[in-house]
Amino acid sequence: MKQDKLADYSLQLARASMEYAQHLHGYGAKKDQFLRASSAIGANIAEARYGNGPADFVNKLHTALKECNETKFWLELFTPETEEQAAELKKMKRLNGNIMRMLIQSINTVKARPDWKR
């Protein structure tokens, strides 16, 4: 079964983050926080699929959005040591930005439905 674009992007970001983290020396707990945030995006998107109605769905997507924002912070913090790492960092920033835009659009779409309950 073909995954949707949002789930695919979040999986790509989590994998790229794990690969990039291997190059992060001297960041200690910051590296761990980065990995937790970047992988939590996809986990929350996956949980949203089986939410208990629109409010739960939106809540899970909103949590994923917050994790995207944290991931964005970490991606801005890290300084690449090589051109390859700079390219990897740029790819992750692009993926994260795409995910954020898609999450915002999904949340707004659900909230615009007449059956949306706050």
Side-chain angles (χ1 to χ4, degrees):
M1 179 180 290
K2 187 176 178 182
Q3 289 185 328
D4 64 72
K5 209 177 239 190
L6 185 56
D8 185 47
Y9 282 174
S10 66
L11 187 58
Q12 286 179 44
L13 179 61
R15 286 180 176 156
S17 298
M18 290 189 311
E19 187 175 316
Y20 189 80
Q22 295 175 8
H23 307 292
L24 294 174
H25 306 292
Y27 283 100
K30 293 170 186 72
K31 176 173 82 170
D32 295 336
Q33 281 295 111
F34 164 63
L35 287 171
R36 276 193 281 278
S38 62
S39 61
I41 297 165
N44 280 289
I45 290 167
E47 281 187 42
R49 289 185 178 171
Y50 296 100
N52 296 324
D56 192 34
F57 179 77
V58 167
N59 185 49
K60 297 285 193 266
L61 291 187
H62 192 265
T63 301
L65 182 59
K66 288 167 56 176
E67 297 295 345
C68 273
N69 196 45
E70 182 178 347
T71 299
K72 180 181 176 184
F73 170 82
W74 296 119
L75 292 172
E76 292 297 326
L77 177 73
F78 300 137
T79 304
E81 298 174 4
T82 66
E83 290 295 321
E84 182 182 337
Q85 288 177 16
E88 289 177 42
L89 201 55
K90 184 177 180 179
K91 175 186 171 186
M92 287 187 293
K93 287 178 181 179
R94 186 182 73 250
L95 272 171
N96 194 62
N98 288 339
I99 294 167
M100 287 183 83
R101 284 185 290 281
M102 293 171 78
L103 285 168
I104 291 167
Q105 182 61 46
S106 295
I107 291 167
N108 289 339
T109 298
V110 173
K111 286 184 172 183
R113 289 178 19 191
D115 65 339
W116 164 250
K117 296 186 182 169
R118 296 173 202 262

mmCIF file of all heavy atoms in Angstrom, residues 66-116:
data_model
loop_
_atom_site.group_PDB
_atom_site.id
_atom_site.type_symbol
_atom_site.label_atom_id
_atom_site.label_comp_id
_atom_site.label_asym_id
_atom_site.label_seq_id
_atom_site.Cartn_x
_atom_site.Cartn_y
_atom_site.Cartn_z
ATOM 1 N N LYS A 66 4.332 20.847 16.476
ATOM 2 C CA LYS A 66 5.223 21.347 17.521
ATOM 3 C C LYS A 66 6.581 20.658 17.447
ATOM 4 O O LYS A 66 7.625 21.300 17.629
ATOM 5 C CB LYS A 66 4.579 21.137 18.897
ATOM 6 C CG LYS A 66 3.411 22.082 19.146
ATOM 7 C CD LYS A 66 2.561 21.725 20.337
ATOM 8 C CE LYS A 66 3.301 21.613 21.617
ATOM 9 N NZ LYS A 66 2.398 21.363 22.767
ATOM 10 N N GLU A 67 6.582 19.361 17.153
ATOM 11 C CA GLU A 67 7.846 18.631 17.008
ATOM 12 C C GLU A 67 8.617 19.129 15.791
ATOM 13 O O GLU A 67 9.848 19.195 15.805
ATOM 14 C CB GLU A 67 7.595 17.125 16.921
ATOM 15 C CG GLU A 67 6.967 16.509 18.163
ATOM 16 C CD GLU A 67 7.848 16.558 19.406
ATOM 17 O OE1 GLU A 67 9.066 16.802 19.300
ATOM 18 O OE2 GLU A 67 7.302 16.335 20.512
ATOM 19 N N CYS A 68 7.898 19.494 14.724
ATOM 20 C CA CYS A 68 8.536 20.084 13.534
ATOM 21 C C CYS A 68 9.225 21.388 13.897
ATOM 22 O O CYS A 68 10.341 21.664 13.435
ATOM 23 C CB CYS A 68 7.499 20.374 12.446
ATOM 24 S SG CYS A 68 7.158 19.024 11.351
ATOM 25 N N ASN A 69 8.547 22.186 14.689
ATOM 26 C CA ASN A 69 9.119 23.462 15.090
ATOM 27 C C ASN A 69 10.383 23.258 15.924
ATOM 28 O O ASN A 69 11.374 23.971 15.750
ATOM 29 C CB ASN A 69 8.081 24.286 15.856
ATOM 30 C CG ASN A 69 8.474 25.732 15.959
ATOM 31 O OD1 ASN A 69 8.901 26.341 14.979
ATOM 32 N ND2 ASN A 69 8.347 26.283 17.144
ATOM 33 N N GLU A 70 10.360 22.270 16.817
ATOM 34 C CA GLU A 70 11.556 21.969 17.606
ATOM 35 C C GLU A 70 12.674 21.449 16.701
ATOM 36 O O GLU A 70 13.837 21.839 16.843
ATOM 37 C CB GLU A 70 11.259 20.950 18.702
ATOM 38 C CG GLU A 70 12.483 20.656 19.554
ATOM 39 C CD GLU A 70 12.245 19.684 20.688
ATOM 40 O OE1 GLU A 70 11.080 19.392 21.011
ATOM 41 O OE2 GLU A 70 13.248 19.216 21.249
ATOM 42 N N THR A 71 12.314 20.596 15.761
ATOM 43 C CA THR A 71 13.306 20.070 14.819
ATOM 44 C C THR A 71 13.940 21.213 14.028
ATOM 45 O O THR A 71 15.150 21.233 13.806
ATOM 46 C CB THR A 71 12.666 19.037 13.875
ATOM 47 O OG1 THR A 71 12.172 17.950 14.669
ATOM 48 C CG2 THR A 71 13.654 18.515 12.860
ATOM 49 N N LYS A 72 13.116 22.177 13.627
ATOM 50 C CA LYS A 72 13.620 23.345 12.901
ATOM 51 C C LYS A 72 14.680 24.075 13.735
ATOM 52 O O LYS A 72 15.715 24.487 13.216
ATOM 53 C CB LYS A 72 12.454 24.282 12.570
ATOM 54 C CG LYS A 72 12.849 25.520 11.833
ATOM 55 C CD LYS A 72 11.629 26.400 11.572
ATOM 56 C CE LYS A 72 12.037 27.708 10.914
ATOM 57 N NZ LYS A 72 10.889 28.597 10.744
ATOM 58 N N PHE A 73 14.418 24.222 15.018
ATOM 59 C CA PHE A 73 15.388 24.862 15.913
ATOM 60 C C PHE A 73 16.722 24.128 15.892
ATOM 61 O O PHE A 73 17.780 24.736 15.737
ATOM 62 C CB PHE A 73 14.835 24.918 17.344
ATOM 63 C CG PHE A 73 15.874 25.339 18.349
ATOM 64 C CD1 PHE A 73 16.171 26.680 18.525
ATOM 65 C CD2 PHE A 73 16.563 24.398 19.100
ATOM 66 C CE1 PHE A 73 17.140 27.075 19.444
ATOM 67 C CE2 PHE A 73 17.534 24.787 20.013
ATOM 68 C CZ PHE A 73 17.823 26.125 20.189
ATOM 69 N N TRP A 74 16.664 22.803 16.053
ATOM 70 C CA TRP A 74 17.902 22.023 16.085
ATOM 71 C C TRP A 74 18.630 22.094 14.747
ATOM 72 O O TRP A 74 19.861 22.195 14.711
ATOM 73 C CB TRP A 74 17.625 20.571 16.474
ATOM 74 C CG TRP A 74 17.088 20.423 17.867
ATOM 75 C CD1 TRP A 74 15.891 19.903 18.235
ATOM 76 C CD2 TRP A 74 17.725 20.829 19.088
ATOM 77 N NE1 TRP A 74 15.744 19.959 19.587
ATOM 78 C CE2 TRP A 74 16.855 20.521 20.151
ATOM 79 C CE3 TRP A 74 18.943 21.423 19.376
ATOM 80 C CZ2 TRP A 74 17.172 20.778 21.472
ATOM 81 C CZ3 TRP A 74 19.259 21.692 20.711
ATOM 82 C CH2 TRP A 74 18.384 21.373 21.739
ATOM 83 N N LEU A 75 17.897 22.055 13.657
ATOM 84 C CA LEU A 75 18.529 22.128 12.340
ATOM 85 C C LEU A 75 19.239 23.464 12.135
ATOM 86 O O LEU A 75 20.268 23.525 11.455
ATOM 87 C CB LEU A 75 17.502 21.889 11.232
ATOM 88 C CG LEU A 75 16.931 20.477 11.147
ATOM 89 C CD1 LEU A 75 15.782 20.416 10.148
ATOM 90 C CD2 LEU A 75 18.011 19.466 10.795
ATOM 91 N N GLU A 76 18.698 24.518 12.718
ATOM 92 C CA GLU A 76 19.353 25.833 12.631
ATOM 93 C C GLU A 76 20.589 25.892 13.533
ATOM 94 O O GLU A 76 21.524 26.637 13.251
ATOM 95 C CB GLU A 76 18.374 26.949 13.011
ATOM 96 C CG GLU A 76 17.243 27.141 12.031
ATOM 97 C CD GLU A 76 17.708 27.557 10.648
ATOM 98 O OE1 GLU A 76 18.719 28.296 10.537
ATOM 99 O OE2 GLU A 76 17.076 27.134 9.666
ATOM 100 N N LEU A 77 20.588 25.138 14.609
ATOM 101 C CA LEU A 77 21.685 25.169 15.571
ATOM 102 C C LEU A 77 22.947 24.478 15.048
ATOM 103 O O LEU A 77 24.057 24.955 15.262
ATOM 104 C CB LEU A 77 21.237 24.498 16.879
ATOM 105 C CG LEU A 77 22.302 24.395 17.973
ATOM 106 C CD1 LEU A 77 22.556 25.772 18.587
ATOM 107 C CD2 LEU A 77 21.852 23.419 19.043
ATOM 108 N N PHE A 78 22.776 23.364 14.368
ATOM 109 C CA PHE A 78 23.914 22.554 13.949
ATOM 110 C C PHE A 78 24.729 23.230 12.855
ATOM 111 O O PHE A 78 24.183 23.816 11.923
ATOM 112 C CB PHE A 78 23.458 21.170 13.473
ATOM 113 C CG PHE A 78 22.741 20.378 14.532
ATOM 114 C CD1 PHE A 78 21.597 19.671 14.219
ATOM 115 C CD2 PHE A 78 23.202 20.338 15.839
ATOM 116 C CE1 PHE A 78 20.929 18.935 15.185
ATOM 117 C CE2 PHE A 78 22.534 19.618 16.818
ATOM 118 C CZ PHE A 78 21.400 18.915 16.491
ATOM 119 N N THR A 79 26.042 23.104 12.971
ATOM 120 C CA THR A 79 26.967 23.649 11.981
ATOM 121 C C THR A 79 27.604 22.481 11.238
ATOM 122 O O THR A 79 28.298 21.662 11.847
ATOM 123 C CB THR A 79 28.070 24.481 12.674
ATOM 124 O OG1 THR A 79 27.454 25.493 13.459
ATOM 125 C CG2 THR A 79 29.003 25.098 11.657
ATOM 126 N N PRO A 80 27.376 22.394 9.928
ATOM 127 C CA PRO A 80 27.964 21.284 9.168
ATOM 128 C C PRO A 80 29.483 21.426 9.072
ATOM 129 O O PRO A 80 30.014 22.538 9.029
ATOM 130 C CB PRO A 80 27.307 21.406 7.799
ATOM 131 C CG PRO A 80 26.853 22.815 7.694
ATOM 132 C CD PRO A 80 26.586 23.286 9.094
ATOM 133 N N GLU A 81 30.163 20.285 9.056
ATOM 134 C CA GLU A 81 31.627 20.283 8.976
ATOM 135 C C GLU A 81 32.123 20.058 7.555
ATOM 136 O O GLU A 81 33.276 20.352 7.261
ATOM 137 C CB GLU A 81 32.188 19.210 9.916
ATOM 138 C CG GLU A 81 31.845 19.459 11.380
ATOM 139 C CD GLU A 81 32.273 18.313 12.282
ATOM 140 O OE1 GLU A 81 32.909 17.353 11.789
ATOM 141 O OE2 GLU A 81 31.955 18.383 13.482
ATOM 142 N N THR A 82 31.265 19.527 6.692
ATOM 143 C CA THR A 82 31.659 19.240 5.312
ATOM 144 C C THR A 82 30.563 19.710 4.357
ATOM 145 O O THR A 82 29.441 19.996 4.785
ATOM 146 C CB THR A 82 31.881 17.724 5.106
ATOM 147 O OG1 THR A 82 30.619 17.053 5.255
ATOM 148 C CG2 THR A 82 32.906 17.153 6.076
ATOM 149 N N GLU A 83 30.895 19.743 3.081
ATOM 150 C CA GLU A 83 29.895 20.090 2.060
ATOM 151 C C GLU A 83 28.773 19.054 2.034
ATOM 152 O O GLU A 83 27.613 19.400 1.835
ATOM 153 C CB GLU A 83 30.554 20.190 0.680
ATOM 154 C CG GLU A 83 31.469 21.380 0.522
ATOM 155 C CD GLU A 83 30.736 22.701 0.611
ATOM 156 O OE1 GLU A 83 29.601 22.808 0.088
ATOM 157 O OE2 GLU A 83 31.280 23.636 1.224
ATOM 158 N N GLU A 84 29.123 17.797 2.230
ATOM 159 C CA GLU A 84 28.118 16.724 2.254
ATOM 160 C C GLU A 84 27.146 16.919 3.408
ATOM 161 O O GLU A 84 25.930 16.778 3.240
ATOM 162 C CB GLU A 84 28.793 15.359 2.366
ATOM 163 C CG GLU A 84 27.822 14.200 2.341
ATOM 164 C CD GLU A 84 28.512 12.842 2.501
ATOM 165 O OE1 GLU A 84 29.704 12.733 2.202
ATOM 166 O OE2 GLU A 84 27.821 11.909 2.936
ATOM 167 N N GLN A 85 27.664 17.257 4.561
ATOM 168 C CA GLN A 85 26.805 17.514 5.717
ATOM 169 C C GLN A 85 25.931 18.744 5.481
ATOM 170 O O GLN A 85 24.774 18.766 5.879
ATOM 171 C CB GLN A 85 27.643 17.695 6.983
ATOM 172 C CG GLN A 85 28.259 16.414 7.488
ATOM 173 C CD GLN A 85 29.133 16.642 8.704
ATOM 174 O OE1 GLN A 85 29.074 17.681 9.352
ATOM 175 N NE2 GLN A 85 29.963 15.662 9.027
ATOM 176 N N ALA A 86 26.489 19.763 4.824
ATOM 177 C CA ALA A 86 25.702 20.965 4.503
ATOM 178 C C ALA A 86 24.545 20.608 3.579
ATOM 179 O O ALA A 86 23.428 21.102 3.754
ATOM 180 C CB ALA A 86 26.597 22.024 3.869
ATOM 181 N N ALA A 87 24.790 19.729 2.618
ATOM 182 C CA ALA A 87 23.736 19.290 1.698
ATOM 183 C C ALA A 87 22.679 18.488 2.442
ATOM 184 O O ALA A 87 21.470 18.637 2.184
ATOM 185 C CB ALA A 87 24.340 18.478 0.560
ATOM 186 N N GLU A 88 23.106 17.622 3.373
ATOM 187 C CA GLU A 88 22.165 16.832 4.170
ATOM 188 C C GLU A 88 21.299 17.745 5.035
ATOM 189 O O GLU A 88 20.088 17.555 5.136
ATOM 190 C CB GLU A 88 22.916 15.844 5.066
ATOM 191 C CG GLU A 88 23.561 14.691 4.342
ATOM 192 C CD GLU A 88 24.352 13.796 5.293
ATOM 193 O OE1 GLU A 88 23.855 13.525 6.412
ATOM 194 O OE2 GLU A 88 25.452 13.380 4.908
ATOM 195 N N LEU A 89 21.933 18.744 5.637
ATOM 196 C CA LEU A 89 21.216 19.683 6.489
ATOM 197 C C LEU A 89 20.186 20.460 5.668
ATOM 198 O O LEU A 89 19.039 20.637 6.101
ATOM 199 C CB LEU A 89 22.215 20.628 7.142
ATOM 200 C CG LEU A 89 21.818 21.372 8.395
ATOM 201 C CD1 LEU A 89 21.351 20.425 9.489
ATOM 202 C CD2 LEU A 89 22.975 22.224 8.885
ATOM 203 N N LYS A 90 20.570 20.895 4.481
ATOM 204 C CA LYS A 90 19.652 21.622 3.601
ATOM 205 C C LYS A 90 18.459 20.747 3.217
ATOM 206 O O LYS A 90 17.313 21.198 3.218
ATOM 207 C CB LYS A 90 20.398 22.077 2.349
ATOM 208 C CG LYS A 90 19.576 22.919 1.418
ATOM 209 C CD LYS A 90 20.410 23.391 0.239
ATOM 210 C CE LYS A 90 19.571 24.236 -0.692
ATOM 211 N NZ LYS A 90 20.357 24.729 -1.830
ATOM 212 N N LYS A 91 18.709 19.472 2.923
ATOM 213 C CA LYS A 91 17.640 18.532 2.565
ATOM 214 C C LYS A 91 16.668 18.359 3.740
ATOM 215 O O LYS A 91 15.452 18.368 3.550
ATOM 216 C CB LYS A 91 18.242 17.187 2.180
ATOM 217 C CG LYS A 91 17.216 16.112 1.896
ATOM 218 C CD LYS A 91 17.883 14.773 1.659
ATOM 219 C CE LYS A 91 16.861 13.663 1.591
ATOM 220 N NZ LYS A 91 17.476 12.340 1.503
ATOM 221 N N MET A 92 17.221 18.219 4.950
ATOM 222 C CA MET A 92 16.355 18.043 6.118
ATOM 223 C C MET A 92 15.529 19.295 6.395
ATOM 224 O O MET A 92 14.356 19.199 6.753
ATOM 225 C CB MET A 92 17.184 17.669 7.349
ATOM 226 C CG MET A 92 17.715 16.250 7.298
ATOM 227 S SD MET A 92 18.525 15.750 8.838
ATOM 228 C CE MET A 92 19.946 16.815 8.859
ATOM 229 N N LYS A 93 16.129 20.475 6.208
ATOM 230 C CA LYS A 93 15.380 21.718 6.403
ATOM 231 C C LYS A 93 14.231 21.814 5.405
ATOM 232 O O LYS A 93 13.126 22.239 5.759
ATOM 233 C CB LYS A 93 16.305 22.922 6.251
ATOM 234 C CG LYS A 93 17.247 23.118 7.417
ATOM 235 C CD LYS A 93 18.170 24.300 7.169
ATOM 236 C CE LYS A 93 19.147 24.506 8.299
ATOM 237 N NZ LYS A 93 20.057 25.656 8.046
ATOM 238 N N ARG A 94 14.491 21.417 4.164
ATOM 239 C CA ARG A 94 13.442 21.452 3.139
ATOM 240 C C ARG A 94 12.323 20.471 3.480
ATOM 241 O O ARG A 94 11.139 20.819 3.420
ATOM 242 C CB ARG A 94 14.033 21.137 1.762
ATOM 243 C CG ARG A 94 13.038 21.305 0.615
ATOM 244 C CD ARG A 94 13.621 20.943 -0.739
ATOM 245 N NE ARG A 94 13.782 19.503 -0.859
ATOM 246 C CZ ARG A 94 14.962 18.849 -0.878
ATOM 247 N NH1 ARG A 94 16.094 19.498 -0.801
ATOM 248 N NH2 ARG A 94 15.000 17.546 -0.983
ATOM 249 N N LEU A 95 12.686 19.255 3.857
ATOM 250 C CA LEU A 95 11.687 18.251 4.243
ATOM 251 C C LEU A 95 10.855 18.744 5.423
ATOM 252 O O LEU A 95 9.628 18.634 5.420
ATOM 253 C CB LEU A 95 12.366 16.937 4.627
ATOM 254 C CG LEU A 95 12.649 15.933 3.544
ATOM 255 C CD1 LEU A 95 13.523 14.798 4.084
ATOM 256 C CD2 LEU A 95 11.370 15.380 2.969
ATOM 257 N N ASN A 96 11.530 19.272 6.435
ATOM 258 C CA ASN A 96 10.834 19.747 7.621
ATOM 259 C C ASN A 96 9.869 20.882 7.267
ATOM 260 O O ASN A 96 8.733 20.906 7.745
ATOM 261 C CB ASN A 96 11.853 20.200 8.676
ATOM 262 C CG ASN A 96 11.242 20.382 10.032
ATOM 263 O OD1 ASN A 96 10.722 19.441 10.627
ATOM 264 N ND2 ASN A 96 11.298 21.590 10.547
ATOM 265 N N GLY A 97 10.298 21.788 6.411
ATOM 266 C CA GLY A 97 9.429 22.873 5.971
ATOM 267 C C GLY A 97 8.214 22.363 5.220
ATOM 268 O O GLY A 97 7.090 22.835 5.432
ATOM 269 N N ASN A 98 8.424 21.383 4.345
ATOM 270 C CA ASN A 98 7.305 20.775 3.615
ATOM 271 C C ASN A 98 6.318 20.123 4.571
ATOM 272 O O ASN A 98 5.100 20.267 4.420
ATOM 273 C CB ASN A 98 7.802 19.743 2.606
ATOM 274 C CG ASN A 98 8.488 20.357 1.417
ATOM 275 O OD1 ASN A 98 8.295 21.525 1.100
ATOM 276 N ND2 ASN A 98 9.313 19.580 0.740
ATOM 277 N N ILE A 99 6.840 19.414 5.549
ATOM 278 C CA ILE A 99 5.981 18.745 6.532
ATOM 279 C C ILE A 99 5.176 19.784 7.315
ATOM 280 O O ILE A 99 3.968 19.626 7.510
ATOM 281 C CB ILE A 99 6.813 17.858 7.479
ATOM 282 C CG1 ILE A 99 7.429 16.692 6.710
ATOM 283 C CG2 ILE A 99 5.961 17.353 8.644
ATOM 284 C CD1 ILE A 99 8.517 15.947 7.478
ATOM 285 N N MET A 100 5.840 20.854 7.748
ATOM 286 C CA MET A 100 5.140 21.898 8.509
ATOM 287 C C MET A 100 3.989 22.485 7.702
ATOM 288 O O MET A 100 2.875 22.633 8.224
ATOM 289 C CB MET A 100 6.114 23.003 8.928
ATOM 290 C CG MET A 100 7.064 22.593 10.028
ATOM 291 S SD MET A 100 8.146 23.935 10.559
ATOM 292 C CE MET A 100 7.057 24.766 11.702
ATOM 293 N N ARG A 101 4.243 22.811 6.442
ATOM 294 C CA ARG A 101 3.191 23.387 5.597
ATOM 295 C C ARG A 101 2.030 22.410 5.412
ATOM 296 O O ARG A 101 0.859 22.796 5.473
ATOM 297 C CB ARG A 101 3.769 23.801 4.244
ATOM 298 C CG ARG A 101 4.577 25.087 4.313
ATOM 299 C CD ARG A 101 5.030 25.554 2.946
ATOM 300 N NE ARG A 101 6.058 24.700 2.356
ATOM 301 C CZ ARG A 101 7.352 24.724 2.671
ATOM 302 N NH1 ARG A 101 7.780 25.570 3.590
ATOM 303 N NH2 ARG A 101 8.197 23.927 2.074
ATOM 304 N N MET A 102 2.350 21.135 5.210
ATOM 305 C CA MET A 102 1.304 20.129 5.018
ATOM 306 C C MET A 102 0.486 19.928 6.293
ATOM 307 O O MET A 102 -0.735 19.748 6.241
ATOM 308 C CB MET A 102 1.923 18.813 4.547
ATOM 309 C CG MET A 102 2.520 18.922 3.149
ATOM 310 S SD MET A 102 3.482 17.477 2.691
ATOM 311 C CE MET A 102 2.146 16.358 2.297
ATOM 312 N N LEU A 103 1.161 19.944 7.438
ATOM 313 C CA LEU A 103 0.450 19.794 8.705
ATOM 314 C C LEU A 103 -0.492 20.973 8.943
ATOM 315 O O LEU A 103 -1.649 20.785 9.341
ATOM 316 C CB LEU A 103 1.440 19.666 9.870
ATOM 317 C CG LEU A 103 2.147 18.325 10.002
ATOM 318 C CD1 LEU A 103 3.306 18.424 10.993
ATOM 319 C CD2 LEU A 103 1.176 17.230 10.408
ATOM 320 N N ILE A 104 -0.011 22.182 8.704
ATOM 321 C CA ILE A 104 -0.855 23.369 8.882
ATOM 322 C C ILE A 104 -2.073 23.289 7.973
ATOM 323 O O ILE A 104 -3.202 23.545 8.404
ATOM 324 C CB ILE A 104 -0.040 24.651 8.639
ATOM 325 C CG1 ILE A 104 0.979 24.845 9.768
ATOM 326 C CG2 ILE A 104 -0.959 25.867 8.513
ATOM 327 C CD1 ILE A 104 2.045 25.890 9.483
ATOM 328 N N GLN A 105 -1.855 22.894 6.728
ATOM 329 C CA GLN A 105 -2.975 22.786 5.783
ATOM 330 C C GLN A 105 -3.973 21.710 6.232
ATOM 331 O O GLN A 105 -5.188 21.922 6.180
ATOM 332 C CB GLN A 105 -2.462 22.462 4.378
ATOM 333 C CG GLN A 105 -3.555 22.388 3.339
ATOM 334 C CD GLN A 105 -4.310 23.690 3.191
ATOM 335 O OE1 GLN A 105 -3.716 24.757 3.116
ATOM 336 N NE2 GLN A 105 -5.625 23.625 3.161
ATOM 337 N N SER A 106 -3.468 20.585 6.700
ATOM 338 C CA SER A 106 -4.351 19.502 7.162
ATOM 339 C C SER A 106 -5.171 19.939 8.371
ATOM 340 O O SER A 106 -6.371 19.673 8.444
ATOM 341 C CB SER A 106 -3.526 18.262 7.520
ATOM 342 O OG SER A 106 -2.892 17.739 6.384
ATOM 343 N N ILE A 107 -4.527 20.599 9.319
ATOM 344 C CA ILE A 107 -5.221 21.078 10.518
ATOM 345 C C ILE A 107 -6.306 22.080 10.124
ATOM 346 O O ILE A 107 -7.453 21.987 10.583
ATOM 347 C CB ILE A 107 -4.215 21.686 11.518
ATOM 348 C CG1 ILE A 107 -3.334 20.585 12.117
ATOM 349 C CG2 ILE A 107 -4.945 22.463 12.617
ATOM 350 C CD1 ILE A 107 -2.107 21.097 12.868
ATOM 351 N N ASN A 108 -5.951 23.027 9.263
ATOM 352 C CA ASN A 108 -6.922 24.034 8.835
ATOM 353 C C ASN A 108 -8.082 23.423 8.060
ATOM 354 O O ASN A 108 -9.230 23.858 8.205
ATOM 355 C CB ASN A 108 -6.238 25.115 8.000
ATOM 356 C CG ASN A 108 -5.348 26.006 8.836
ATOM 357 O OD1 ASN A 108 -5.496 26.100 10.055
ATOM 358 N ND2 ASN A 108 -4.409 26.660 8.200
ATOM 359 N N THR A 109 -7.809 22.415 7.256
ATOM 360 C CA THR A 109 -8.863 21.745 6.492
ATOM 361 C C THR A 109 -9.869 21.077 7.422
ATOM 362 O O THR A 109 -11.081 21.214 7.245
ATOM 363 C CB THR A 109 -8.260 20.712 5.525
ATOM 364 O OG1 THR A 109 -7.410 21.388 4.595
ATOM 365 C CG2 THR A 109 -9.334 19.943 4.782
ATOM 366 N N VAL A 110 -9.367 20.373 8.430
ATOM 367 C CA VAL A 110 -10.272 19.698 9.369
ATOM 368 C C VAL A 110 -11.074 20.729 10.162
ATOM 369 O O VAL A 110 -12.292 20.580 10.340
ATOM 370 C CB VAL A 110 -9.500 18.756 10.317
ATOM 371 C CG1 VAL A 110 -10.411 18.203 11.400
ATOM 372 C CG2 VAL A 110 -8.865 17.614 9.537
ATOM 373 N N LYS A 111 -10.423 21.777 10.602
ATOM 374 C CA LYS A 111 -11.115 22.790 11.400
ATOM 375 C C LYS A 111 -12.163 23.558 10.592
ATOM 376 O O LYS A 111 -13.086 24.130 11.169
ATOM 377 C CB LYS A 111 -10.108 23.762 12.013
ATOM 378 C CG LYS A 111 -9.343 23.157 13.165
ATOM 379 C CD LYS A 111 -8.440 24.196 13.787
ATOM 380 C CE LYS A 111 -7.812 23.678 15.063
ATOM 381 N NZ LYS A 111 -6.976 24.719 15.706
ATOM 382 N N ALA A 112 -12.027 23.567 9.276
ATOM 383 C CA ALA A 112 -13.000 24.263 8.417
ATOM 384 C C ALA A 112 -14.241 23.418 8.148
ATOM 385 O O ALA A 112 -15.243 23.937 7.654
ATOM 386 C CB ALA A 112 -12.341 24.647 7.096
ATOM 387 N N ARG A 113 -14.200 22.139 8.495
ATOM 388 C CA ARG A 113 -15.361 21.272 8.252
ATOM 389 C C ARG A 113 -16.507 21.631 9.185
ATOM 390 O O ARG A 113 -16.287 22.001 10.344
ATOM 391 C CB ARG A 113 -14.966 19.801 8.484
ATOM 392 C CG ARG A 113 -14.052 19.275 7.428
ATOM 393 C CD ARG A 113 -13.599 17.861 7.626
ATOM 394 N NE ARG A 113 -14.392 17.043 8.519
ATOM 395 C CZ ARG A 113 -14.019 15.859 8.953
ATOM 396 N NH1 ARG A 113 -12.863 15.356 8.589
ATOM 397 N NH2 ARG A 113 -14.785 15.161 9.748
ATOM 398 N N PRO A 114 -17.742 21.501 8.691
ATOM 399 C CA PRO A 114 -18.885 21.853 9.532
ATOM 400 C C PRO A 114 -19.050 20.931 10.755
ATOM 401 O O PRO A 114 -19.612 21.365 11.763
ATOM 402 C CB PRO A 114 -20.090 21.719 8.599
ATOM 403 C CG PRO A 114 -19.608 21.138 7.339
ATOM 404 C CD PRO A 114 -18.119 21.140 7.349
ATOM 405 N N ASP A 115 -18.548 19.711 10.681
ATOM 406 C CA ASP A 115 -18.699 18.790 11.817
ATOM 407 C C ASP A 115 -17.556 18.911 12.844
ATOM 408 O O ASP A 115 -17.479 18.137 13.775
ATOM 409 C CB ASP A 115 -18.810 17.342 11.322
ATOM 410 C CG ASP A 115 -17.557 16.848 10.638
ATOM 411 O OD1 ASP A 115 -16.740 17.676 10.179
ATOM 412 O OD2 ASP A 115 -17.404 15.620 10.528
ATOM 413 N N TRP A 116 -16.683 19.907 12.622
ATOM 414 C CA TRP A 116 -15.569 20.129 13.560
ATOM 415 C C TRP A 116 -16.128 20.556 14.909
ATOM 416 O O TRP A 116 -16.906 21.480 15.013
ATOM 417 C CB TRP A 116 -14.633 21.194 12.993
ATOM 418 C CG TRP A 116 -13.696 21.752 14.019
ATOM 419 C CD1 TRP A 116 -13.723 23.007 14.543
ATOM 420 C CD2 TRP A 116 -12.608 21.086 14.663
ATOM 421 N NE1 TRP A 116 -12.728 23.167 15.446
ATOM 422 C CE2 TRP A 116 -12.025 21.997 15.551
ATOM 423 C CE3 TRP A 116 -12.075 19.810 14.590
ATOM 424 C CZ2 TRP A 116 -10.932 21.684 16.351
ATOM 425 C CZ3 TRP A 116 -10.994 19.505 15.379
ATOM 426 C CH2 TRP A 116 -10.430 20.411 16.237
#
